[in-house]
Amino acid sequence: MFRHQKELQFEAKPDRPNPLIAKYLQELIGGQYGEMSVAMQYLFQGWSCRGEEKYKDMLMDIATEELGHVEMLATMVARLLEDAPVEDQEEAMKKDPTIGAIISGMNPQHAIVAGLGPRPADSVGNPWSGGYIVASGNLLADFRANLNAESQGRLQVARIYEMIDDRGVKDLLSVLLARDSYHQNLWAAAVKELEETEGGILVPTTFPREEERKDIAYDFYNFSEGDESSEGSWAKGKALDGEGEYQWLEEPKIEGEAPKLKPVTPKMYGTPPKKK
């Protein structure tokens, strides 16, 4: 059960209307690494969690917080669009609608589709997609995906922070930066804990290693020009899983022959084989 509280956790008031900044913030709402994505990702991970109760409770806590972030950003977008100089934009569009939209910096969907309101979409109008989320049922794999999502999200917030000068918007972004910092720490700690309790770093940790080709499980193949990759910690020494030794190979091993495929039935109308 969810209950909505009318007050925002943090304030979301810009210094002045600015449709261009509203367009930027849409990425933080409905982009691939926006707040809608992490909120739904954590919710579905929590809803399918069959492990320790603490993980489900933690996922639901963070997911609900992220829903609040969506509301704060949506409120900020709406306020950035309030009293925006639409008349000036319309005047520019009379000459050339395409050029006018670019000059004004406004996302036309904010006016045409949403009536000067936020959208469940990214900064160029692509609708948010459930395909952005990861919820595999394996918490170690999922928590690593969560760490990446928070890393990418914080990176985008930091970039927008540097692109704008509106103090009110920056105040909200500073909140999101701080929470993304904590969430990166959170998922890193959870990953470390699961690696220790499950006894390994590989996913799935319980798959029998004897079923895989362990003779090639620690080889680095030099597939590109140059040998700089040989200097990395992944190219020599004991493997992080503790079960093998890394080795760097100048060329990949070749165990298969060049494939020769039989012609398909003529009913498929493929290219017929060359007559001898």
Side-chain angles (χ1 to χ4, degrees), residues 65-123:
E65 177 184 356
E66 303 292 13
L67 288 174
H69 291 178
V70 175
E71 183 176 24
M72 287 188 290
L73 283 165
T75 301
M76 181 65 83
V77 168
R79 286 173 169 167
L80 283 164
L81 295 171
E82 286 177 355
D83 301 322
V86 178
E87 294 81 6
D88 294 342
Q89 296 169 21
E90 289 177 343
E91 189 63 31
M93 293 177 191
K94 288 179 181 178
K95 300 178 181 178
D96 188 320
T98 303
I99 295 176
I102 295 172
I103 293 174
S104 70
M106 184 179 190
N107 180 349
Q109 289 190 341
H110 278 155
I112 299 168
V113 179
L116 298 184
R119 294 267 299 141
D122 65 15
S123 55

Side-chain angles (χ1 to χ4, degrees), residues 28-253:
L28 307 183
I29 294 176
Q32 181 177 358
Y33 299 106
E35 302 291 352
M36 288 183 65
S37 291
V38 289
M40 298 307 294
Q41 181 157 307
Y42 304 162
L43 282 174
F44 276 90
Q45 289 177 7
W47 286 329
S48 64
C49 184
R50 303 174 189 273
E52 290 189 50
E53 190 65 24
K54 69 176 181 180
Y55 293 126
K56 180 168 187 174
D57 193 41
M58 177 261 285
L59 281 163
M60 299 306 292
D61 284 337
I62 306 303
T64 306
E65 177 184 356
E66 303 292 13
L67 288 174
H69 291 178
V70 175
E71 183 176 24
M72 287 188 290
L73 283 165
T75 301
M76 181 65 83
V77 168
R79 286 173 169 167
L80 283 164
L81 295 171
E82 286 177 355
D83 301 322
V86 178
E87 294 81 6
D88 294 342
Q89 296 169 21
E90 289 177 343
E91 189 63 31
M93 293 177 191
K94 288 179 181 178
K95 300 178 181 178
D96 188 320
T98 303
I99 295 176
I102 295 172
I103 293 174
S104 70
M106 184 179 190
N107 180 349
Q109 289 190 341
H110 278 155
I112 299 168
V113 179
L116 298 184
R119 294 267 299 141
D122 65 15
S123 55
V124 293
N126 296 314
W128 181 82
S129 169
Y132 294 154
I133 74 169
V134 175
S136 70
N138 182 293
L139 290 180
L140 180 52
D142 284 352
F143 288 177
R144 287 173 173 166
N146 296 351
L147 177 56
N148 173 65
E150 295 288 351
S151 301
Q152 297 290 345
R154 188 170 189 269
L155 178 62
Q156 293 181 357
V157 174
R159 286 171 173 167
I160 294 177
Y161 188 93
E162 299 293 350
M163 293 165 65
I164 65 174
D165 58 7
D166 188 295
R167 188 67 256 171
V169 179
K170 282 196 167 192
D171 286 345
L172 176 57
L173 296 185
S174 71
V175 169
L176 299 180
L177 287 165
R179 297 310 296 163
D180 286 348
S181 295
Y182 171 68
H183 292 156
Q184 286 189 52
N185 277 303
L186 166 76
W187 299 123
V191 165
K192 186 171 185 286
E193 182 175 294
L194 283 173
E195 288 176 349
E196 293 173 353
T197 57
E198 294 191 16
I201 66 170
L202 303 183
V203 177
T205 56
T206 55
F207 185 82
R209 296 298 303 277
E210 62 271 14
E211 297 295 326
E212 68 177 75
R213 285 277 306 275
K214 289 192 71 174
D215 62 309
I216 58 173
Y218 302 97
D219 295 347
F220 184 97
Y221 301 142
N222 185 33
F223 275 110
S224 62
E225 184 177 344
D227 59 4
E228 289 83 359
S229 58
S230 65
E231 302 171 7
S233 59
W234 53 82
K236 56 183 177 295
K238 194 170 184 62
L240 289 178
D241 63 14
E243 296 190 25
E245 292 280 335
Y246 296 133
Q247 64 172 337
W248 187 89
L249 301 179
E250 179 64 44
E251 294 185 359
K253 297 176 181 178

